[in-house]
Amino acid sequence: MSMLWLNRCVSGIVLFCAFSCADVHAQFKRNLTTQIFAPSSSFQMPSTWAEVLPSSDSYLHDSTRAETPMRALKLLPDHLTIFESVLWGSTGVFRGFSPLTPEARRRELDFRRTMLSTHQVLGFATLALMTASVVFGQILLNDYEALRFEEALRNRQTHRTLSIITFGTYMSTAAMSTFAPPPLIRRDEWNTVSTHKLLAIFHFSGMVAQPILAIMASNSRDLEQIRTLRRAHQIVGYFTLAVLAAAMLTLTF
């Protein structure tokens, strides 16, 4: 049963990384194409909603509405990620209760802003929790090495509790970004958000690998294998913490 669960987790990691790498690679190719074939005039972001999404009244009462048909209004960016296409595309899962209309897109973009703000707040909370978990994990390893079994038992429970809370907060943070509606306009260029998404592939893999290594170490009866798995758990923990911190810094500065 444990091996079946392990195989499913590994398959999930590979599938997620494949989708994420495909999105990052596609964005890089679009950026390269844009740099080669981009027009000379610079693109100006709209300053108000009225410039992008005319109100429904303008379509009902404006005498010039024939010159700007509804089908000419772009409500989605030219390029959607795989998750955005499945969830928020023109035939996406969420279109059953959120039709692709200007009014619905206004609500979606407000919802997106709220979700991404929550994503950032939860990201810093996850970083703090992960730091505490790594600290207690290091203390626990020191107790094992010094044969302080009573202290190790107490610190193990603390480390385990922090790890569970960190994992739950991390997945909630990821959900805020993954399920957020797409933006109205997406520029085909590499920026800090692109770097943030690239780093997410690595710290997500580390977050999934951590509990797997911990379970394998707990179930093992080979002392040498236990030490190897604990060391791997330690290295992956520090690596994941460093990458998550870097991902947060890319959006902060």
Side-chain angles (χ1 to χ4, degrees):
M1 180 64 68
S2 60
M3 289 302 298
L4 179 60
W5 182 83
L6 177 61
N7 290 334
R8 289 178 178 177
C9 289
V10 172
S11 300
I13 296 174
V14 173
L15 186 61
F16 176 84
C17 291
F19 282 154
S20 300
C21 288
D23 288 339
V24 172
H25 180 258
Q27 184 172 356
F28 177 78
K29 288 180 63 178
R30 292 195 300 268
N31 180 34
L32 183 62
T33 304
T34 302
Q35 290 179 352
I36 296 176
F37 300 104
S40 58
S41 60
S42 60
F43 175 79
Q44 297 294 329
M45 288 291 290
S47 58
T48 63
W49 271 109
E51 298 178 26
V52 182
L53 296 180
S55 64
S56 57
D57 292 339
S58 65
Y59 282 105
L60 294 176
H61 305 293
D62 189 357
S63 60
T64 62
R65 62 184 180 276
E67 300 176 4
T68 56
M70 177 67 78
R71 63 176 178 272
L73 183 64
K74 296 185 64 174
L75 300 177
L76 292 172
D78 293 331
H79 306 289
L80 296 174
T81 66
I82 295 176
F83 295 109
E84 288 173 345
S85 179
V86 171
L87 299 176
W88 298 100
S90 57
T91 58
V93 175
F94 293 152
R95 289 300 165 211
F97 57 86
S98 181
L100 192 58
T101 63
E103 291 76 11
R105 284 297 284 148
R106 284 193 185 91
R107 292 192 297 269
E108 288 175 14
L109 291 173
D110 290 338
F111 187 46
R112 171 184 171 83
R113 187 179 301 108
T114 300
M115 292 185 71
L116 294 184
S117 297
T118 305
H119 172 78
Q120 188 174 22
V121 172
L122 288 177
F124 282 109
T126 302
L127 183 61
L129 288 168
M130 187 180 296
T131 301
S133 179
V134 168
V135 169
F136 274 94
Q138 184 61 59
I139 294 174
L140 178 60
L141 283 178
N142 294 341
D143 290 337
Y144 282 138
E145 294 294 332
L147 303 180
R148 296 190 295 264
F149 297 112
E150 291 185 5
E151 291 84 350
L153 184 62
R154 181 174 60 255
N155 290 325
R156 179 183 180 182
Q157 185 59 40
T158 303
H159 175 65
R160 182 179 181 181
T161 301
L162 283 171
S163 298
I164 293 174
I165 297 174
T166 301
F167 188 84
T169 307
Y170 178 90
M171 290 304 173
S172 299
T173 305
M176 290 295 105
S177 175
T178 302
F179 297 112
L184 188 66
I185 298 173
R186 174 172 284 135
R187 294 192 179 191
D188 293 332
E189 61 183 14
W190 192 272
N191 50 33
T192 56
V193 176
S194 305
T195 304
H196 181 78
K197 291 181 178 180
L198 177 62
L199 292 173
I201 299 174
F202 296 100
H203 61 65
F204 177 84
S205 301
M207 281 298 297
V208 176
Q210 283 292 78
I212 295 176
L213 292 171
I215 292 173
M216 292 176 63
S218 298
N219 294 336
S220 178
R221 295 296 179 264
D222 187 337
L223 184 59
E224 189 62 31
Q225 186 182 45
I226 291 175
R227 289 178 176 174
T228 302
L229 290 171
R230 285 176 179 171
R231 181 63 62 184
H233 183 74
Q234 178 191 33
I235 293 173
V236 174
Y238 278 111
F239 171 79
T240 305
L241 177 62
V243 176
L244 180 62
M248 295 304 301
L249 289 176
T250 58
L251 296 182
T252 305
F253 300 102

